[in-house]
Amino acid sequence: MAKIIENGIEREASCTEELYAMRDSLDVLGGKWKLMIIRYLTNRTDQQIHFKKLQRGITGISAKMLSKELKELEINLLITRTIQDTKPITVAYAVTEYGKSVFPVTETLVNWGIIHREKIKESMG
Amino acid sequence: MAKIIENGIEREASCTEELYAMRDSLDVLGGKWKLMIIRYLTNRTDQQIHFKKLQRGITGISAKMLSKELKELEINLLITRTIQDTKPITVAYAVTEYGKSVFPVTETLVNWGIIHREKIKESMG
DNA sequence: CCGAATCCGAGATGATACTG
DNA sequence: CAGTATCATCTCGGATTCGG
């Protein structure tokens, strides 16, 4: 299914390679919050997103977790952090072009969540 | 982007609804192992997959975690667990039709992991 | 041999208060 | 406003043990 390009030649990934690739992804994107944060920012590339706005938009996240997750996303070049010269100082976050490459992942998760809710609903009667 | 069907009418999900849907997905599929297990089983629907085989196939998982994760996946109807009348008794696992609906999620993660590895490699020089 | 149950430390997560 | 500090709690996951 998945393709790997090696020395300019495209070939199919083996099952084991697929699992390693998933492990790589989950190391960077896994956990409770990172994909939510990326999705939130990706849906709002036209706006300035400050720390407080993010925290209000992502239900349930604490300031500590948000701060930690943003730091890790920045290290992995998925988001940018811009300190703005206002009073009081504000900080704006945005997805990078590379961060936008995560969109398909979040999209399949959103779609599956919708399907799953339907399924639960109908099994409830 | 994502669509919701409500009372037979299709409409776009709001950003907030999208995040709720992702939260639903991550509640069921999140964590370090569940998506790996589903991918492994989905790639091998033609075989009997026993507990030990799963544990050997998924690098790094302990028996305890595997047992726990399988139980949760079974509760959510994503996999089946079949006790086989052998000596000694063995247990075979398989994805359900519903479990196969998770395939697009694992596929995007596999693909992103491959992209990410390329990116790391090139940034290393 | 398959898997469950128990114990335990380490790390993840959370609630609240606090600083520049 | 943007985070940090502190303390409490929950979960992860390894080692070991137990039963079928």
Side-chain angles (χ1 to χ4, degrees):
Chain A
M1 302 293 192
K3 306 288 184 190
I4 287 183
I5 298 178
E6 200 170 49
N7 305 325
I9 299 169
E10 182 176 296
R11 63 176 177 77
E12 277 210 1
S14 72
C15 296
T16 307
E17 284 171 333
E18 288 190 358
L19 289 192
Y20 281 132
M22 269 184 77
R23 169 57 55 234
D24 289 344
S25 290
L26 293 173
D27 283 345
V28 177
L29 305 173
K32 200 167 168 181
W33 301 113
K34 291 200 185 69
L35 286 167
M36 307 267 287
I37 294 170
I38 291 176
R39 180 79 184 194
Y40 186 92
L41 292 174
T42 303
N43 276 343
R44 289 169 183 75
T45 49
D46 56 328
Q47 296 167 55
Q48 291 286 329
I49 307 293
H50 299 161
F51 189 90
K52 267 296 174 207
K53 186 164 183 177
L54 255 173
Q55 195 183 352
R56 274 190 290 260
I58 298 177
T59 308
I61 195 167
S62 67
K64 187 176 74 174
M65 285 309 297
L66 181 54
S67 175
K68 199 195 85 188
E69 302 287 69
L70 288 171
K71 222 169 281 181
E72 293 175 16
L73 290 173
E74 194 194 356
I75 287 171
N76 282 302
L77 307 178
L78 296 167
I79 66 170
T80 57
R81 177 179 188 274
T82 311
I83 299 174
Q84 297 181 313
D85 192 13
T86 53
K87 293 184 186 186
I89 284 172
T90 56
V91 181
Y93 293 92
V95 281
T96 59
E97 279 307 308
Y98 184 47
K100 288 179 190 169
S101 72
V102 178
F103 185 79
V105 176
T106 64
E107 187 71 357
T108 54
L109 280 168
V110 169
N111 287 329
W112 195 83
I114 292 170
I115 290 175
H116 187 63
R117 175 160 298 193
E118 292 292 320
K119 169 122 182 154
I120 299 292
K121 206 191 294 174
E122 81 190 33
S123 75
M124 297 286 200
Chain B
M1 301 294 193
K3 305 288 185 189
I4 287 183
I5 297 177
E6 200 171 50
N7 306 324
I9 298 168
E10 183 176 295
R11 64 176 176 78
E12 277 209 1
S14 72
C15 296
T16 307
E17 284 170 334
E18 288 190 358
L19 289 193
Y20 281 132
M22 270 185 77
R23 169 59 53 234
D24 289 344
S25 291
L26 293 173
D27 283 345
V28 176
L29 305 174
K32 200 168 170 182
W33 302 113
K34 291 199 185 69
L35 286 167
M36 307 268 286
I37 294 169
I38 291 176
R39 180 78 184 194
Y40 187 93
L41 291 174
T42 304
N43 275 345
R44 289 168 183 75
T45 48
D46 55 330
Q47 296 167 54
Q48 291 287 331
I49 307 293
H50 297 162
F51 188 90
K52 268 296 174 208
K53 185 164 184 178
L54 255 173
Q55 196 183 353
R56 275 189 290 261
I58 298 177
T59 309
I61 194 167
S62 68
K64 188 179 77 172
M65 285 309 296
L66 182 53
S67 175
K68 200 193 86 187
E69 302 288 70
L70 289 169
K71 212 173 288 177
E72 293 175 16
L73 290 173
E74 193 193 357
I75 288 172
N76 282 303
L77 307 178
L78 296 167
I79 66 171
T80 56
R81 177 178 190 274
T82 311
I83 299 174
Q84 296 182 312
D85 193 10
T86 52
K87 294 183 182 185
I89 283 174
T90 55
V91 182
Y93 294 91
V95 281
T96 60
E97 280 306 309
Y98 184 47
K100 289 177 189 169
S101 71
V102 178
F103 185 78
V105 177
T106 63
E107 187 71 357
T108 53
L109 280 168
V110 169
N111 287 330
W112 196 84
I114 292 170
I115 291 174
H116 187 63
R117 175 161 297 195
E118 291 293 319
K119 170 120 182 157
I120 299 292
K121 206 190 295 175
E122 82 189 33
S123 76
M124 298 285 202

